[in-house]
Amino acid sequence: MRRIPPWIVYVLGALPFLWLVWRGVTGDLGVDPVKEVEHSLGLHALQFLVGGLVISPLRWITGINLIRYRRAVGLVAFAYAVLHVAVWLSLDIQFRWGEVWGDILRRPYITLGMLAFVMLIPLAATSNMASIRALGKRWVSLHRLVYAAVILGGIHFLLAVKAWPTEPLLYLGAGVILVVLRVTHRFLRWP
Amino acid sequence: MRNDLKWSDVTPEGIWLNRRAVMAGVAGAALAPGLARAATDMTPNTFEEITNYNNYYEFGLDKSDPARNAQRLTIDPWSIQIDGLVDRPGTYDLADVMRMGPIEERIYRFRCVEAWSMVIPWNGFQLSHLLDRVGVQSSARYVAFETLYRPSEMREAGNILDWPYREGLRLDEARHPLTLMATGLYGKPMPKQNGAPIRLVVPWKYGFKSIKSIVRISLTADQPQTTWKQSNVREYGFYSNVNPNVNHPRWSQASERRIGGGLFNSRQDTLMFNGYGDQVAQMYAGQDLTRDF
């Protein structure tokens, strides 16, 4: 494990994006390519966020220590979130600013999604050694924002769809469980 | 009966479209002026787009699911139960229903509440002809519809909604000449994912009003319960007229993305009543459409 350098995470993290590009080039994005790209990017953002949150409980429970990959996982998640928002703004809503603000202010799923995205910005901006040194203990507090972001992201997914399908419930459930694990770990001092 | 026709035997769409243009010249004169206008100057989406991008939750939630899962649906034999406040109630065989009105082609805009849209060349007959045939009693004010629910062939459905899927129209909406019982598209029999063998098309309303695979039509005095309204009354009203001015909690209805419009030029303003205001607005005179949404 120690031999695998963290930059491998960036390479692996880029694969879903490259796959999406490939499908775009080969015309394999289906009838509605805009939605397919937008949804895939958002889903990958959520997947990497959840993946980043798995790392600590995995260490507590199994002893497997992947902490040194966590920053890369988080930054890949942020990159997908940026692309997701960028595709929404450009290809989907096509810079109709009136509708953009209307959506952000009035449509709960977009309000919450945007909130989650905004929370990720300071986390990504401080994902470097200089920030960690400068912020000290406050860095840890700041990065707890990711708990809120993953749950908001899950609710964003759930509210974006009609009815109550399973898939968004699974992501939201995973987010809630992972955050609950942290809270219990902190206060109940397990294992 | 064996069918050894392959896709290669189907007339290429381009040739078929040309043929249709010639026929439209002949048939066009017979159409009412409003309908003729509704049927011109719009390029329909391709057959592939129309048949691979469907909301038909009985067959799965993803828009590509119905094309795959609906194929196992048995649509022959098929009958429609017509009951309630009608003079000639009964269970009508599909073949008899298909003869209730002349089959026409209608190219309609189709606007989904999810804020995407298509242009679809339907084939079908006016619902008003069917209503005339079965004899609507004077006490009837609404028409209720039900979709087939057959769990053995619709395994994807789960408990997403309260099945069977139900929809309804006010009688004047049902009698409107734009309201179509669609039996096909692009001159082909209705594909299963699009609601074979027979479905409703109400072009000035959000797509979910255009109920698929109809097995029951009831004339009622009271407003019927509808599936989406039952599921979420705040978001899906009984009328569900396409209305860019009525805010929806999920999707901005001010604009829509035209399927097939490409990656960069697919968004356009949504038209009141989906562009059919000239023909239908008078039905809602005096109604507050922000309340009766």
Side-chain angles (χ1 to χ4, degrees):
Chain A
M1 202 68 86
R2 281 172 202 288
R3 300 220 194 100
I4 304 171
W7 58 260
I8 291 289
V9 173
Y10 296 109
V11 174
L12 295 176
L15 289 181
F17 174 73
L18 294 174
W19 174 238
L20 209 52
V21 171
W22 173 253
R23 287 173 63 203
V25 170
T26 58
D28 184 35
L29 289 172
V31 171
D32 192 5
V34 173
K35 277 291 165 206
E36 182 64 23
V37 170
E38 189 178 49
H39 290 171
S40 297
L41 292 169
L43 201 56
H44 292 320
L46 207 45
Q47 286 161 346
F48 279 97
L49 273 183
V50 169
L53 283 172
V54 165
I55 289 174
S56 281
L58 187 72
R59 182 165 59 98
W60 306 331
I61 294 164
T62 68
I64 298 171
N65 187 352
L66 302 175
I67 291 287
R68 67 197 201 106
Y69 305 105
R70 192 166 64 179
R71 176 191 295 169
V73 173
L75 287 173
V76 169
F78 181 70
Y80 278 107
V82 169
L83 289 168
H84 175 62
V85 172
V87 166
W88 173 65
L89 271 177
S90 59
L91 300 183
D92 187 344
I93 205 83
Q94 300 186 346
F95 303 114
R96 292 173 171 235
W97 293 107
E99 285 178 49
V100 168
W101 299 126
D103 275 356
I104 292 173
L105 297 177
R106 280 204 307 263
R107 251 163 280 289
Y109 86 94
I110 295 185
T111 312
L112 298 181
M114 197 48 79
L115 204 58
F117 175 66
V118 168
M119 285 177 172
L120 293 179
I121 295 173
L123 306 195
T126 57
S127 283
N128 54 71
M129 291 317 289
S131 297
I132 294 172
R133 274 192 292 270
L135 289 169
K137 276 194 168 171
R138 283 174 300 162
W139 188 92
V140 179
S141 307
L142 177 68
H143 278 246
R144 291 205 180 107
L145 270 180
V146 75
Y147 306 157
V150 75
I151 288 175
L152 289 176
I155 298 174
H156 163 72
F157 186 8
L158 187 64
L159 293 183
V161 295
K162 288 193 285 193
W164 297 91
T166 316
E167 198 186 0
L169 286 171
L170 289 177
Y171 283 97
L172 182 56
V176 169
I177 288 169
L178 287 166
V179 171
V180 167
L181 279 180
R182 280 175 158 70
V183 174
T184 58
H185 184 260
R186 197 155 161 236
F187 291 105
L188 303 180
R189 301 185 182 284
W190 62 272
Chain B
M1 193 179 77
R2 214 169 83 84
N3 179 8
D4 41 15
L5 288 175
K6 295 183 288 291
W7 276 108
S8 55
D9 298 313
V10 174
T11 309
E13 221 159 82
I15 294 172
W16 186 84
L17 282 169
N18 287 337
R19 196 171 66 92
R20 201 196 58 203
V22 174
M23 297 198 331
V26 180
L31 287 171
L35 302 183
R37 194 165 57 248
T40 52
D41 75 18
M42 288 185 289
T43 312
N45 283 85
T46 66
F47 187 76
E48 278 61 38
E49 286 164 349
I50 296 167
T51 55
N52 287 287
Y53 197 79
N54 308 102
N55 279 325
Y56 195 160
Y57 278 9
E58 287 86 337
F59 293 106
L61 298 185
D62 196 274
K63 285 178 188 49
S64 59
D65 287 338
R68 194 169 44 249
N69 299 331
Q71 303 315 318
R72 59 180 173 234
L73 183 68
T74 309
I75 56 168
D76 186 16
W78 192 276
S79 58
I80 300 180
Q81 183 186 338
I82 302 177
D83 57 17
L85 303 168
V86 294
D87 295 330
R88 288 172 285 282
T91 301
Y92 290 79
D93 192 69
L94 179 67
D96 297 328
V97 174
M98 301 269 268
R99 279 195 293 270
M100 286 185 176
I103 302 284
E104 303 170 41
E105 178 177 82
R106 300 279 183 86
I107 303 177
Y108 284 160
R109 275 183 287 273
F110 185 90
R111 171 62 157 76
C112 179
V113 70
E114 296 164 355
W116 54 266
S117 65
M118 289 194 194
V119 176
I120 303 179
W122 301 107
N123 311 101
F125 61 89
Q126 288 180 202
L127 176 59
S128 62
H129 294 313
L130 181 150
L131 296 173
D132 291 341
R133 286 298 182 94
V134 298
V136 176
Q137 295 176 359
S138 57
S139 52
R141 289 191 56 223
Y142 293 91
V143 188
F145 303 87
E146 267 181 36
T147 295
L148 174 77
Y149 183 55
R150 190 182 289 153
S152 61
E153 292 177 351
M154 294 172 159
R155 278 172 295 166
E156 312 298 320
N159 297 321
I160 290 297
L161 291 170
D162 184 29
W163 315 110
Y165 190 85
R166 277 155 291 137
E167 258 307 336
L169 296 173
R170 212 169 56 191
L171 190 55
D172 58 334
E173 298 174 324
R175 283 201 183 281
H176 194 280
L178 283 174
T179 304
L180 202 67
M181 290 294 279
T183 55
L185 58 89
Y186 267 117
K188 300 167 189 169
M190 188 65 73
K192 290 180 177 177
Q193 60 270 40
N194 292 84
I198 189 165
R199 65 171 291 172
L200 185 70
V201 177
V202 194
W204 70 93
K205 292 175 180 284
Y206 293 122
F208 64 86
K209 293 294 287 184
S210 293
I211 185 169
K212 297 186 173 85
S213 305
I214 295 169
V215 290
R216 186 174 178 197
I217 300 173
S218 306
L219 276 289
T220 64
D222 299 319
Q223 192 181 94
Q225 185 60 275
T226 62
T227 299
W228 278 111
K229 189 180 166 200
Q230 194 179 10
S231 161
N232 191 342
V233 67
R234 212 165 61 88
E235 297 189 10
Y236 312 107
F238 177 79
Y239 288 96
S240 289
N241 291 314
V242 175
N243 189 339
N245 308 314
V246 170
N247 193 31
H248 187 281
R250 249 171 253 252
W251 302 279
S252 168
Q253 301 298 6
S255 64
E256 65 204 40
R257 277 181 332 99
R258 167 84 195 277
I259 299 301
L263 276 180
F264 305 104
N265 193 25
S266 56
R267 191 165 281 275
Q268 55 195 37
D269 290 332
T270 287
L271 303 168
M272 186 66 202
F273 295 116
N274 203 22
Y276 300 97
D278 287 352
Q279 291 106 303
V280 304
Q282 83 285 349
M283 285 194 293
Y284 307 101
Q287 272 183 277
D288 177 2
L289 292 179
T290 59
R291 199 173 54 88
D292 294 342
F293 62 88

